[in-house]
Amino acid sequence: MPAFDNYCNGQWTDSETGERFDVHNPADPTDVIGTLPQSTAADTKRAIDAAAKAQPGWEKTPAPERGSILRRAASLLDEQADELAEILSREEGKALPEASGEVARAIDILYYYGEKANDLGGEIKSSSSQDTRLETKTEPLGTVGLITPWNYPIAIPTWKLAPALATGNTVVLKPASQAPIVAIKVAKCLDEAGLPGGVLNVITGPGSEVGQTLSTSEDIDAISFTGSTSVGQMVGETAATDGKRVQLEMGGKNPTVVMPSMDVDTAAKIVSEGAFGVTGQACTATSRAIVHEDVYEEFVDELVAHADNIGIGPALDGYDMGPHVSQDELDGTLEYIDVGQSEGATLETGGSVPQEDRHESGYYIEPTVFSNVSSGMRIAQEEIFGPVVAVLPVSSYDEAVTVANDTEFGLSASIVTEDLREAHQFVDDIEAGVVKVNEKTTGLELHVPFGGMKASSSETYREQGDAGLDFFTTSKTVYLNY
């Protein structure tokens, strides 16, 4: 089977202990895709030392030259896009079209920040004094640690490391152990594109060793984390003790409000795509459909029909929805389905492991719809991270917004309506960092800010677009009297 190594100081190396872990295909756990280093704190410290040593030279590299390396890496990724999509599907489980879209997104991000690097530097401002030049000078933070999740294993690492590198920071990246191979492939393309040794380091292994070392190291100037709220809060608290800059993007319980002015089948299609795409394993996935009582029963019927029409099977075999990434994730979803039934919600469809021959060895679950859900139920409050949607009835727009905001999370939210007033009012009323009208809650443009509110985010700095550059930089204000 293929063996992949850490990328440290421009070299491909094993861990100090030689211990390794296997990455399995969630559609067929007997299919071992590769082995990777089970890295230790000492391995991580070596990567941090390499990054800190390389940082001054990388900062002095002209920003357009840094950008050209990102663009060359994007071109190299593009040349192997089909291969990368297949690897991504095999290690994470998402359907091949979804994996292809994610790979394309990573390529676009590298091109985007490769171009943005040309505009970095600062701004000239008008001074209130004569014979004075007033300007800002943008500088990198230094060395940053990136901790990324398994559900978007190439897009999320890339949308963190690209702005970090473009602005002159050096990076130590810890990808999730369930799906680290595509992140290793990105590092390989950056290496081949001419990235100097030590500027990017990728270390695989457990969070208790790699993540903890990144969070506590005095040589790490900032931590950017995406993952669960519970882990993110621990990372944030640990990193903040020595004044690190922290960026946390965490969980969601994302609502779509359905108003009676919208065609019901269109509304159901929007909710279905948001809830069941990528097997519901997205922090922006639609988890709650909050539906006006005038169309509630019709909407439930249409949503059930959409759910029942989804083909479930191995990602590479042309099915609409692949498996969960692991047995633990499947068990968690099944547990929440039991919770929903015990709370008195009506299981309209799904809720079980499918029984066809093709499902025998993978971590599969049927798309699941609950009706007659009230806002106080756990399935309406807690992130499930699986293809489960709770449908809640409401009697008015005002009640819909109250229910939508009745959660600790505030990541993504949408409304489907033909009423222009409702659409604009929803943008003002909803407590979410991403707001959509007549669209699913999932799906993001790369050139605009992304982030949440409340427990979904540290609410410090946004990701992507110019906001992605802001997190990785600081500025000096220069008064030059000539």
Side-chain angles (χ1 to χ4, degrees), residues 266-343:
T266 300
K269 182 175 185 293
I270 289 171
V271 170
S272 175
E273 291 177 351
F276 306 132
V278 297
T279 319
Q281 297 178 135
C283 55
T284 55
T286 307
S287 187
R288 297 176 294 154
I290 300 168
V291 184
H292 195 281
E293 60 187 13
D294 289 353
V295 293
Y296 185 83
E297 292 185 5
E298 183 183 358
F299 173 85
V300 170
D301 289 343
E302 292 289 348
L303 183 59
V304 167
H306 280 280
D308 290 346
N309 197 42
I310 292 172
I312 310 166
L316 299 178
D317 291 352
Y319 291 97
D320 304 314
M321 193 176 89
H324 268 304
V325 73
S326 68
Q327 184 68 52
D328 285 346
E329 291 296 326
L330 173 59
D331 290 344
T333 296
L334 290 169
E335 180 179 344
Y336 271 111
I337 290 169
D338 289 341
V339 167
Q341 292 175 291
S342 68
E343 289 181 317

Side-chain angles (χ1 to χ4, degrees), residues 108-443:
D108 289 344
I109 289 167
L110 286 170
Y111 277 126
Y112 174 80
Y113 283 110
E115 292 297 331
K116 294 295 288 186
N118 293 326
D119 296 328
L120 300 176
E123 297 179 338
I124 303 294
K125 300 291 186 178
S126 296
S127 173
S128 59
S129 302
Q130 291 185 348
D131 302 326
T132 297
R133 183 182 179 89
L134 185 62
E135 63 186 27
T136 63
K137 183 177 184 294
T138 301
E139 296 183 345
L141 295 179
T143 297
V144 300
L146 311 180
I147 303 173
T148 59
W150 50 261
N151 61 325
Y152 285 92
I154 193 168
I156 293 179
T158 304
W159 85 42
K160 292 180 186 292
L161 68 86
L165 295 175
T167 50
N169 298 276
T170 52
V171 171
V172 181
L173 166 66
K174 181 214 170 308
S177 296
Q178 295 93 329
I181 296 174
V182 284
I184 294 288
K185 293 288 188 178
V186 173
K188 188 173 187 297
C189 288
L190 284 161
D191 180 70
E192 293 177 2
L195 194 71
V199 172
L200 171 63
N201 306 269
V202 183
I203 306 296
T204 61
S208 58
E209 293 281 336
V210 182
Q212 180 72 6
T213 305
L214 288 174
S215 299
T216 57
S217 172
E218 294 181 356
D219 291 323
I220 292 291
D221 299 294
I223 291 285
S224 180
F225 168 91
T226 298
S228 70
T229 298
S230 58
V231 175
Q233 289 172 343
M234 289 190 292
V235 169
E237 290 170 5
T238 302
T241 56
D242 64 352
K244 289 181 178 62
R245 184 176 288 187
V246 177
Q247 179 184 62
L248 308 174
E249 291 303 332
M250 300 174 287
K253 194 66 182 173
N254 312 293
T256 292
V257 170
V258 178
M259 298 305 292
S261 59
M262 173 58 74
D263 172 71
V264 174
D265 182 62
T266 300
K269 182 175 185 293
I270 289 171
V271 170
S272 175
E273 291 177 351
F276 306 132
V278 297
T279 319
Q281 297 178 135
C283 55
T284 55
T286 307
S287 187
R288 297 176 294 154
I290 300 168
V291 184
H292 195 281
E293 60 187 13
D294 289 353
V295 293
Y296 185 83
E297 292 185 5
E298 183 183 358
F299 173 85
V300 170
D301 289 343
E302 292 289 348
L303 183 59
V304 167
H306 280 280
D308 290 346
N309 197 42
I310 292 172
I312 310 166
L316 299 178
D317 291 352
Y319 291 97
D320 304 314
M321 193 176 89
H324 268 304
V325 73
S326 68
Q327 184 68 52
D328 285 346
E329 291 296 326
L330 173 59
D331 290 344
T333 296
L334 290 169
E335 180 179 344
Y336 271 111
I337 290 169
D338 289 341
V339 167
Q341 292 175 291
S342 68
E343 289 181 317
T346 301
L347 179 61
E348 295 283 351
T349 192
S352 301
V353 173
Q355 298 299 316
E356 301 291 335
D357 290 345
R358 65 180 181 273
H359 307 129
E360 185 175 352
S361 63
Y363 308 125
Y364 295 100
I365 183 69
E366 297 168 337
T368 301
V369 177
F370 278 103
S371 66
N372 300 316
V373 179
S374 63
S375 192
M377 292 180 178
R378 287 179 60 191
I379 60 169
Q381 290 293 325
E382 299 175 15
E383 185 176 40
I384 298 175
F385 225 65
V388 180
V389 61
V391 189
L392 295 83
V394 292
S395 60
S396 66
Y397 167 84
D398 289 338
E399 184 184 1
V401 171
T402 298
V403 171
N405 287 333
D406 181 26
T407 173
E408 66 174 328
F409 298 106
L411 185 54
S412 182
S414 70
I415 187 171
V416 286
T417 180
E418 292 293 338
D419 186 319
L420 189 61
R421 177 189 171 280
E422 287 175 347
H424 282 286
Q425 194 67 46
F426 186 77
V427 172
D428 293 338
D429 293 341
I430 195 66
E431 297 168 357
V434 176
V435 187
K436 296 189 172 187
V437 177
N438 297 333
E439 288 191 24
K440 60 184 179 180
T441 56
T442 53

